[in-house]
């Protein structure tokens, strides 16, 4: 048996060595972690317009992501009244840089509608056509789901979507991210019926309306319902701004 | 209050740590040969989850978070602190129980060291972080999760006691059957997936 | 002094029958998953695809080897009263190192494994080997024991992941092999022989991991009858 003093000494030495080692490692890798996080979400944003990029999205490199973001994408932050929020105002709310990419979506999602900041990305294709990418967020079966929705410049036709999730079941709910064929269904769907906002509905058992509905995922009804709700609520938040753009 | 009850029910039945997430399987399979031992281990799990969850919540929010005492992001120390809390709590509980309630110690005592390496305990704490619960929700989640685990291990122990008298191929006896049974129970529990207790009003 | 050091060194690098047994025993007679029933949780959660299973297997081998070596090197100075906590802190440190490294260099895997990297800490294999072996043996033997057990665990992980990914999604390492759309290598929709085949989504879900392991145990014990009734 060791004496209490020697136990204390051992524990103290050990804790300080361990803490130092980890702090050192954490500091060394911190910048890499941050760029990884940033690139991951930028990549998801580009995923919504994968078909319109000049390069193959499935093999896109980190540098290419940064390059497209730097040269072809304009970042705007809007609010639910349809006004642009200037960068300084965004920075005041605690987001460094004030760009759309710095906005913490999970945090904004919990705020009441009139305080919410809504990031918007405008992508200009090589032929000059513009695409508007919105961020939406909702709840799946187990935890949060979120996604990017790209609209064509009629602000009505969906040009593409990309979804992600925190903890959906692999093979079922996780298909919203993994099943590329399912995600492709959204392309070309419309969100407006004349002037009335309709959003896109994920229909269990197969789409009944060719313009406003897509097929569900078998075995993942709740996640699919979550997607429907997320789209209806999320796109509606941008509506005032979209209305202004439509003129 | 209603929210807390919902979280309790949800974590006990719908997001059962043992049968929906398959956490704590090692002790679940090793200590489920008889209902009596399973009962003891189950109780100990409820107990330890109920204690460690709030402590880990406090540590995670007040010590490690960016708005905590040190004002820096120390989350890289999370694993170490969580497991240290769990291990020391288990040891503390063991000592206290041994001193003040020898009869409880006799029924629980031998299981307590096993609990430190029960992934349901650490997993519970990590899930609590990723689900961003507040303090009272974390307590409800801990107790509910423990209760669900308790029910699951008793259920499998009861089945295993019965199945001992069945003619099972020798190579499947014991462990093999336990795996198969757990898989089937897991499938049954998948039927509860996605039920939202909040909608029963 | 110099002589002593040389003798020590000579003994340390020996790789004889005993050492080989340390490495091969956990692959068969004493397999962590199918015989010792340790480390089941992560074996279930991360085996939905071979890619994740490989990352997990490598991580566990790393943690196993280093935790065993470090604990064994410190075994004489670790106070008995706080033994468990010290061991757990060593494991937790190594796991944090793994997490931080994955986050920096394999971000996709990090995102997908999420909570389950942390759960390596409570992977009973690591803890079990520390208690059963490293606390009583020299660092060299302990590292071999860790390597053997890590690999024994990893192999089962990969086997389970293969069955689940192939029969559950028709893929191997994310490459589409067999399925009913044109982007699969073997397109069952157009094949005259395989039109009936469809991959089974159930295989990707948690319970099927249990079934796959149950069948593995059955096969293992039928082939090696002395393991029947060990646990």
């Amino acid at each position: 048996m060791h004496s209490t003093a020697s136990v204390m000494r051992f524990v103290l030495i050990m804790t300080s060595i361990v803490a130092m080692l980890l702090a050192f490692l954490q500091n060394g890798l911190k910048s890499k972690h941050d760029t990884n996080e940033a690139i991951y979400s930028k990549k998801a944003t580009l995923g919504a317009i994968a078909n319109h990029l000049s390069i193959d999205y499935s093999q896109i490199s980190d540098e290419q992501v940064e390059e497209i973001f730097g040269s072809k994408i304009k970042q705007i932050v809007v609010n639910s009244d349809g006004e642009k929020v200037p960068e300084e105002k965004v920075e005041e709310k605690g987001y460094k840089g004030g760009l759309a990419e710095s906005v913490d979506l999970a945090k904004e999602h919990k705020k009441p509608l009139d305080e919410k900041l809504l990031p918007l990305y405008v992508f200009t294709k090589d032929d000059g056509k513009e695409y508007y990418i919105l961020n939406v967020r909702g709840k799946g079966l187990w935890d949060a789901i979120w996604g990017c929705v790209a609209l064509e410049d009629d602000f009505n036709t969906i040009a593409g979507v990309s979804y992600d999730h925190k903890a959906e079941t692999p093979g079922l709910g996780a298909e919203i991210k993994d099943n590329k064929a399912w995600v492709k269904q959204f392309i070309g769907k419309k969100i407006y019926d004349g002037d009335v906002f309709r959003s896109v509905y994920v229909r269990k058992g197969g789409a009944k309306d060719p313009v406003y509905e897509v097929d569900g995922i078998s075995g993942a009804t709740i996640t699919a319902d979550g997607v429907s709700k997320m789209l209806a609520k999320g796109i509606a938040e941008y509506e005032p701004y979209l209305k202004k753009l439509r003129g | 209050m209603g929210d807390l009850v919902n979280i309790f029910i949800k974590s006990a039945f719908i997001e059962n740590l043992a049968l929906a997430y398959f956490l704590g399987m090692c002790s679940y399979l090793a200590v489920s040969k008889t209902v009596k031992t399973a009962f003891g281990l189950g109780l100990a799990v409820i107990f330890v989850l109920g204690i460690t969850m709030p402590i880990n919540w406090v540590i995670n929010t007040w010590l490690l978070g960016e708005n905590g005492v040190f004002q820096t992001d120390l989350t890289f120390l999370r694993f170490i602190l969580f497991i240290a809390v769990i291990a020391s709590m288990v040891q503390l509980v063991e000592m206290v129980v041994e001193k003040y309630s020898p009869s409880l110690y006799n029924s629980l005592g031998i299981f307590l060291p096993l609990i430190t390496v029960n992934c349901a305990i650490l997993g519970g704490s990590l899930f609590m972080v990723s689900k961003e619960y507040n303090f009272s929700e974390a307590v409800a989640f801990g107790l509910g999760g423990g209760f669900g685990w308790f029910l699951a291990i008793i259920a499998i122990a009861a089945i295993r006691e019965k199945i001992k008298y069945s003619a099972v191929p020798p190579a499947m006896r014991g462990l093999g059957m336990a795996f198969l049974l757990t898989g089937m129970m897991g499938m049954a529990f998948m039927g509860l997936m996605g039920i939202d207790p909040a909608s029963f009003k | 002094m110099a002589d002593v050091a040389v003798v020590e060194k000579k003994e340390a690098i020996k790789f004889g029958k005993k050492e080989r047994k340390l490495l091969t025993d956990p692959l068969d007679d004493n397999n962590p998953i199918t015989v010792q029933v340790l480390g089941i949780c992560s074996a279930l959660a991360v085996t939905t695809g071979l890619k994740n299973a490989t990352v997990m297997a490598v991580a566990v081998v790393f943690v196993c080897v280093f935790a065993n070596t470090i604990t064994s090197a410190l075994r004489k100075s670790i106070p008995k009263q706080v033994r468990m906590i010290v061991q757990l802190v060593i494991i937790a440190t190594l796991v944090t190192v793994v997490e931080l490294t994955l986050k920096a260099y394999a971000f996709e895997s990090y995102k997908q494994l999420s909570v389950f990297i942390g759960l390596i800490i409570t992977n009973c294999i690591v803890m079990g080997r520390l208690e059963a072996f490293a606390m009583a043996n020299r660092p060299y033997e302990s590292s071999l024991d860790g390597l053997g057990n890590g690999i024994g665990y990893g192999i089962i992980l990969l086997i389970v992941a293969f069955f689940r990914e192939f029969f559950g999604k028709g893929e191997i390492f994310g490459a589409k092999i067999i399925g009913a759309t044109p982007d699969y290598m073997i397109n069952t929709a157009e094949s005259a022989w395989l039109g009936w085949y469809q991959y089974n989504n159930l295989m990707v879900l948690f319970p099927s991991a249990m079934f796959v392991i149950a069948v593995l145990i059955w096969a293992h014990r039928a082939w090696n009858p002395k393991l029947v009734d060990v646990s």
Side-chain angles (χ1 to χ4, degrees):
Chain A
M1 272 308 203
H2 296 247
S3 70
T4 313
S6 75
V7 171
M8 291 296 254
R9 201 175 333 120
F10 184 87
V11 170
L12 269 180
I13 294 173
M14 169 140 181
T15 342
S16 37
I17 291 177
V18 163
M20 246 151 55
L21 176 83
L22 289 183
F24 184 71
L25 199 67
Q26 161 81 1
N27 264 329
L29 296 174
K30 182 95 175 68
S31 60
K32 198 131 178 64
H33 291 167
D34 291 345
T35 36
N36 278 343
E37 291 277 6
I39 296 230
Y40 188 81
S41 61
K42 282 179 183 171
K43 224 171 166 177
T45 309
L46 292 185
I49 43 161
N51 293 342
H52 303 285
L53 297 174
S54 49
I55 38 179
D56 182 7
Y57 175 71
S58 61
Q59 270 152 35
I60 200 164
S61 72
D62 293 0
E63 291 78 28
Q64 283 168 324
V65 172
E66 289 286 10
E67 200 223 288
I68 294 173
F69 250 78
S71 60
K72 290 180 189 159
I73 285 191
K74 203 167 81 194
Q75 305 190 16
I76 321 171
V77 179
V78 300
N79 63 17
S80 57
D81 297 330
E83 288 151 356
K84 265 192 205 174
V85 183
E87 281 179 19
E88 306 83 61
K89 279 271 171 59
V90 179
E91 213 164 353
E92 265 172 38
K93 294 216 173 177
Y95 298 118
K96 235 160 94 193
L99 286 172
E101 63 177 67
S102 64
V103 173
D104 184 344
L105 293 164
K107 230 191 233 164
E108 292 301 318
H109 185 65
K110 285 185 191 146
K111 290 185 183 167
L113 185 59
D114 51 346
E115 283 175 32
K116 253 186 209 175
L117 294 177
L118 306 165
L120 180 72
Y121 302 88
V122 186
F123 170 74
T124 316
K125 206 181 169 180
D126 292 340
D127 60 11
K129 218 174 157 200
E130 283 184 332
Y131 295 88
Y132 294 77
I133 307 169
L134 325 176
N135 280 310
V136 291
R137 201 176 173 89
K139 221 179 136 299
L141 170 57
W142 299 106
D143 215 318
I145 54 175
W146 57 91
C148 304
V149 180
L151 296 177
E152 286 182 13
D153 51 7
D154 61 353
F155 307 106
N156 184 10
T157 315
I158 291 182
V161 290
S162 73
Y163 298 117
D164 203 347
H165 57 92
K166 200 164 182 181
E168 298 307 300
T169 323
L172 298 179
E175 293 288 286
I176 60 165
K177 182 186 180 200
D178 303 334
N179 189 340
K180 301 286 176 265
W182 184 78
V183 175
K184 268 200 190 127
Q185 288 185 87
F186 284 87
I187 297 173
K189 302 285 176 218
K190 310 247 191 257
I191 53 169
Y192 280 100
D193 187 357
D195 268 341
V196 187
F197 175 66
R198 274 193 68 164
S199 179
V200 177
Y201 186 73
V202 185
R203 171 80 67 186
K204 186 182 179 179
K208 292 200 177 118
D209 188 320
V211 185
Y212 303 103
E213 288 183 6
V214 296
D215 299 342
I217 304 169
S218 53
T221 313
I222 294 171
T223 313
D225 283 351
V227 171
S228 300
K229 275 186 203 147
M230 167 171 86
L231 290 175
K233 195 167 157 274
I235 302 177
E237 289 174 350
Y238 284 92
E239 223 205 321
Y241 187 74
L242 295 180
K243 238 180 201 151
K244 263 185 201 171
L245 288 176
R246 291 178 96 191
Chain B
M1 194 59 206
D3 285 354
L4 298 184
V5 175
N6 284 344
I7 287 183
F8 182 88
I9 293 174
K10 212 170 164 189
S11 56
F13 296 103
I14 298 153
E15 298 178 2
N16 189 296
L17 284 176
L19 294 174
Y21 286 114
F22 290 106
L23 289 180
M25 275 298 134
C26 312
S27 30
Y28 176 88
L29 291 166
V31 194
S32 60
K33 281 182 193 137
T34 61
V35 173
K36 202 168 165 263
T37 50
F39 188 81
L41 182 71
L43 275 189
V45 166
I46 299 184
F47 203 49
V48 175
L49 257 178
I51 301 177
T52 54
M53 199 71 84
I55 298 181
N56 280 343
W57 186 90
V58 169
I59 287 187
N60 189 56
T61 326
W62 290 352
L63 280 183
L64 302 180
E66 256 174 68
N67 303 318
V69 185
F70 300 110
Q71 293 291 320
T72 40
D73 182 23
L74 292 173
T75 42
F76 64 94
L77 292 174
R78 187 185 288 150
F79 290 159
I80 296 186
L81 282 176
F82 277 13
I83 198 68
V85 165
I86 292 170
S88 39
M89 273 306 123
V90 168
Q91 232 167 40
L92 206 71
V93 168
E94 196 180 355
M95 287 191 288
V96 170
V97 172
E98 189 180 10
K99 186 145 192 207
Y100 292 104
S101 171
S103 62
L104 184 63
Y105 181 76
N106 283 336
S107 54
L108 275 189
I110 41 166
F111 302 117
L112 282 170
L114 253 179
I115 286 184
T116 318
V117 283
N118 185 330
C119 10
I121 313 280
L122 183 67
S125 283
L126 293 176
F127 277 126
M128 166 199 77
V129 172
S130 81
K131 283 177 195 274
E132 295 166 14
Y133 282 141
N134 64 29
F135 184 76
S136 42
E137 284 170 347
V139 176
F141 178 66
L143 291 174
F147 184 63
W149 203 89
F150 168 82
L151 290 182
I153 194 171
I154 291 202
I156 186 136
I159 300 176
R160 282 182 79 174
E161 272 191 6
K162 288 275 174 217
I163 220 154
K164 236 186 313 195
Y165 306 106
S166 313
V168 174
M172 268 310 253
R173 234 181 278 152
L175 195 58
M177 276 319 273
F179 269 99
L180 216 57
L181 286 171
T182 317
M184 286 179 195
M185 289 166 75
M187 276 175 77
F189 259 74
M190 273 171 56
L192 298 174
M193 218 159 69
I195 296 176
D196 185 7
S199 59
F200 297 133
K201 284 222 170 106
Chain C
M1 207 41 207
D3 286 347
V4 177
V6 170
V7 171
E8 275 254 358
K9 213 175 174 188
K10 249 188 192 158
E11 210 178 87
I13 51 166
K14 193 175 75 180
F15 190 82
K17 221 178 194 165
K18 200 176 120 229
E19 281 75 13
R20 181 164 321 133
K21 201 165 154 43
L22 281 178
L23 265 182
T24 55
D25 214 31
L27 302 187
D28 179 14
D29 284 354
N30 215 1
N31 189 285
I33 292 186
T34 60
V35 182
Q36 301 178 54
V37 215
L38 298 175
I40 311 291
C41 322
S42 48
L44 300 166
V46 302
T47 49
T48 50
L50 275 164
K51 226 191 249 165
N52 284 349
T54 315
V55 174
M56 191 66 171
V58 172
V60 170
V61 170
F62 168 84
V63 174
C64 245
V65 171
F66 282 89
N68 254 5
T69 318
I70 296 173
T71 314
S72 160
L74 291 174
R75 70 184 186 281
K76 293 203 178 96
S77 46
I78 294 178
K80 287 280 165 296
Q81 298 96 315
V82 290
R83 196 183 73 240
M84 286 273 263
I85 299 185
V86 170
Q87 290 169 354
L88 283 168
V89 168
I90 294 174
I91 301 172
T93 313
L94 289 167
V95 171
T96 315
V97 169
V98 169
E99 196 211 12
L100 293 175
T101 322
L102 279 182
K103 199 173 171 190
Y105 298 104
F107 197 73
E108 285 279 329
S109 305
Y110 165 79
K111 275 269 172 193
Q112 289 190 353
L113 294 174
S114 64
V115 184
F116 295 100
I117 305 172
L119 290 181
I120 299 178
I121 299 173
T122 45
N123 190 324
C124 332
I125 297 174
V126 189
M127 191 70 191
R129 288 332 285 172
L130 293 191
E131 269 296 285
F133 198 90
M135 286 303 279
N137 288 283
R138 290 180 312 153
Y140 172 65
E141 279 92 9
S142 302
S143 68
L144 286 181
D145 181 74
L147 188 63
N149 275 286
I151 294 175
Y153 168 84
I155 285 178
I156 300 286
L157 217 61
L158 291 179
I159 295 176
V160 176
F162 170 78
F163 281 112
R164 290 182 72 187
E165 193 179 2
F166 185 71
F167 292 107
K169 287 193 272 192
E171 297 174 2
I172 291 175
F173 276 108
K176 294 178 183 299
I177 304 291
I178 184 166
T181 49
D183 47 346
Y184 286 95
M185 234 145 67
I186 304 168
N187 184 356
T188 53
E190 282 171 8
S191 158
W193 306 102
L194 288 165
W196 53 273
Y197 180 83
Q198 194 173 15
Y199 54 76
N200 185 354
N201 246 335
L202 181 67
M203 290 300 282
V204 191
L205 301 178
F206 276 136
S208 66
M210 283 287 181
F211 300 142
V212 174
I213 297 180
V215 174
L216 274 182
I217 290 177
W218 192 350
H220 188 196
R221 292 188 178 186
W223 171 67
N224 192 347
K226 70 171 180 249
L227 295 175
V228 170
D229 284 334
V230 280
S231 56

